[in-house]
Amino acid sequence: MHTHDDASAHTGSPAPENTATIDSPVGSPGALTPARPTASDAIDPRNRSVIILLLISAFVVILNETILSVALPPIMDDLDLAETTAQWLTTGFMLTMAVVIPTTGFLMGRFSTRQVFGIAMTTFTIGTLICAVSPAFLPLLLGRIVQASGTAIMMPLLMTTVMNLVPPSKHGMVMGNISIVISVAPALGPTISGLILSFAPWRALFLLVLPFALIALAFGLRRIENVNEATSQKVDVLSVLLSGVGFGTLVYGLTGISGGGHGGSDAADAASGGAPAAAIVCLVIGVISLALFGWRQVLLQRAERALLDLRTFATRNFSVAVALMVVMMGSMFGVVVLLPIFLQRVLELSTLQVGLMMLPGGLAMGLLAPFVGRLFDKVGPRPLLVPGLVSVVIGIGIMSRVPDQAWLIVVGHVIMSLGLAFVFTPLMTTAMGSLPRRLYPHGSAIVGTVQQVAGAAGAALMVSIMARISSGTVAAGGDHLEGIADGTSAAFTISAVLGLVTVVIALFIRRNPADAGDAPVVTGDAPVVVGEAPASADDVAPEGGAGPTREMSGPTDHDVSGRTVVD
């Protein structure tokens, strides 16, 4: 690996800034230099240890998200809660995530990597402890909210750190490891929960997570080194308020329309009698607040003070990837919500059986993720996204027949999961890798926010469709279980149709140039589009060179070595 001095010896002149290597300190002792394309493109051992620690920490917090999914009935029995009350343990978690994630871009710019990690894991650990000792519903809800605050910070921190420390030629490989965390942890959650609840009370779920959270916090604070240093950037209070009100009320309104996402009688009532008035009011407030929030960010971008920098959308690949993500998450999340309802109510399976049925798909996706990541580094996004999304559509199509044979549902779920393995890594890597390096924190915050909002919207849409079809079946003389089966089949069919839309969107995604992270970001109103960057100091060739260089746009891109390729 070359240092500045090495590069100077080869060229006879000082090395340019963008040849800084991982080993050189930035800002202060202990800081790590962001990776840029080099001859070897190897991952520095210190960087590797930071990424591993963040992956372990992310696994712990994501496992917690789904470990409660099958524990609501025991909690309701123990604390004497109605379903409409207990659902706030999941709805409150989603609301908090939606409010906190948009602020993570600012947090990662305002505080150092170690500080942000400490904030995230300390908050999550405190929330877990509160949940473990909660004697009643309100303390338990408070603990879930505190947990969600830490969880919301961890994933954007992980993605931003990886994009900074890993050379572009290795982005797919490392993001494939992140996909293992994203896929295996949620798959293990219901299974582990079902096993523990078969012999221990529900508080044991949090007592199981707590020591792992403490260990991750202790090792992380000791070993994680800074990718960036804290800055003096001030928070815009109005942006925080507009963001919190906008995203919070939007997600609340969407979950309110879907009856809390549990598909119970509330959902049926909402579907038959129209959406609840409170949910509609919240949706209107959310849309207006977000419009004002966006306008505020455009103004603040001129002074580099935006809470969430919207110039990320000036990058074509990022915008296309986010659009695909919106449709895909909306389609997939409806399946995730409705499938357990069908399995438990219609097929009368236990929570443990449902958890075990979901396990093969999650494990298959996790095992395939590293292979997909390495393949992405060689062939780019589109050859993986298109067949992956087709597999997702086929899997959902199989499950849309809602057969009585549980094994056939497992087959459909595994096919869908294998398809998702070919989607998550290319999509996330392409979206983040298309941005200028300084916009990584804002890009990861936008990706996380989109996932929450699109997931809530998908759940609302699919549960409402299921409830409406179910009501029609009952009105025609069928029983309630037949209604759920018919409604679930219709909702899955619509999800499959939406999946076909994602296949079309995927055709517009291109491979990113290797040096996309080094593209400049202007301070005025006109954002820079990667692939269409205006001439700047970095574009001017050194004396005696061939003149300014410009990245190609359209279907022609560059591979890691700088050679022109056609995707």
Side-chain angles (χ1 to χ4, degrees), residues 59 63 66-67 183-193 359 363:
F59 184 89
L63 179 67
T66 57
I67 205 170
S183 57
V184 175
L188 290 177
T191 306
I192 293 175
S193 180
L359 186 60
L363 292 179

Side-chain angles (χ1 to χ4, degrees), residues 261-272:
H262 293 279
S265 58
D266 292 340
D269 293 341
S272 60

Side-chain angles (χ1 to χ4, degrees), residues 222-515:
R222 182 178 177 182
R223 299 293 300 275
I224 285 183
E225 300 180 69
N226 294 324
V227 175
N228 64 293
E229 293 301 307
T231 67
S232 58
Q233 180 181 352
K234 295 182 179 179
V235 64
D236 180 64
V237 177
L238 181 57
S239 292
V240 174
L241 292 176
L242 288 173
S243 171
V245 173
F247 288 110
T249 54
L250 186 65
V251 172
Y252 177 82
L254 291 170
T255 54
I257 288 176
S258 67
H262 293 279
S265 58
D266 292 340
D269 293 341
S272 60
I280 295 177
V281 170
C282 285
L283 286 176
V284 173
I285 294 174
V287 170
I288 294 174
S289 298
L290 289 180
L292 293 173
F293 173 77
W295 172 74
R296 179 71 175 170
Q297 301 319 294
V298 172
L299 294 179
L300 292 175
Q301 283 167 187
R302 300 172 182 173
E304 301 296 325
R305 291 185 54 224
L307 181 71
L308 197 62
D309 200 317
L310 302 182
R311 286 174 295 183
T312 52
F313 289 104
T315 305
R316 179 183 179 275
N317 251 8
F318 183 84
S319 298
V320 175
V322 168
L324 195 156
M325 200 175 302
V326 167
V327 181
M328 187 190 73
M329 290 299 295
S331 171
M332 185 187 67
F333 210 83
V335 175
V336 171
V337 170
L338 288 179
L339 187 57
I341 296 173
F342 172 80
L343 294 175
Q344 292 183 61
R345 294 192 178 182
V346 178
L347 299 189
E348 299 181 341
L349 301 178
S350 68
T351 54
L352 178 57
Q353 288 173 314
V354 173
L356 291 174
M357 287 180 65
M358 299 298 100
L359 186 60
L363 292 179
M365 183 160 47
L367 292 173
L368 196 58
F371 166 76
V372 173
R374 292 181 176 88
L375 195 59
F376 170 86
D377 290 330
K378 296 179 180 179
V379 303
R382 197 191 308 158
L384 302 177
L385 284 174
V386 173
L389 291 168
V390 170
S391 297
V392 172
V393 172
I394 293 173
I396 296 177
I398 293 174
M399 291 188 289
S400 71
R401 301 301 91 200
V402 288
D404 293 335
Q405 298 91 345
W407 69 268
L408 195 53
I409 294 180
V410 174
V411 170
H413 186 261
V414 169
I415 292 175
M416 182 187 76
S417 300
L418 290 175
L420 289 173
F422 282 90
V423 173
F424 274 127
T425 296
L427 192 58
M428 303 283 280
T429 309
T430 300
M432 293 296 296
S434 66
L435 298 175
R437 195 176 305 278
R438 197 171 59 76
L439 293 182
Y440 285 165
H442 297 278
S444 62
I446 290 172
V447 167
T449 303
V450 162
Q451 289 176 337
Q452 292 296 314
V453 175
L461 174 63
M462 298 306 162
V463 171
S464 296
I465 291 171
M466 186 275 288
R468 189 174 295 277
I469 299 297
S470 177
S471 298
T473 299
V474 172
D479 61 30
H480 182 57
L481 294 182
E482 289 176 347
I484 293 178
D486 291 344
T488 302
S489 177
F492 281 16
T493 301
I494 293 175
S495 292
V497 173
L498 288 175
L500 292 175
V501 176
T502 65
V503 177
V504 176
I505 298 175
L507 298 175
F508 293 90
I509 288 184
R510 304 278 190 258
R511 174 182 285 192
N512 294 320
D515 56 350

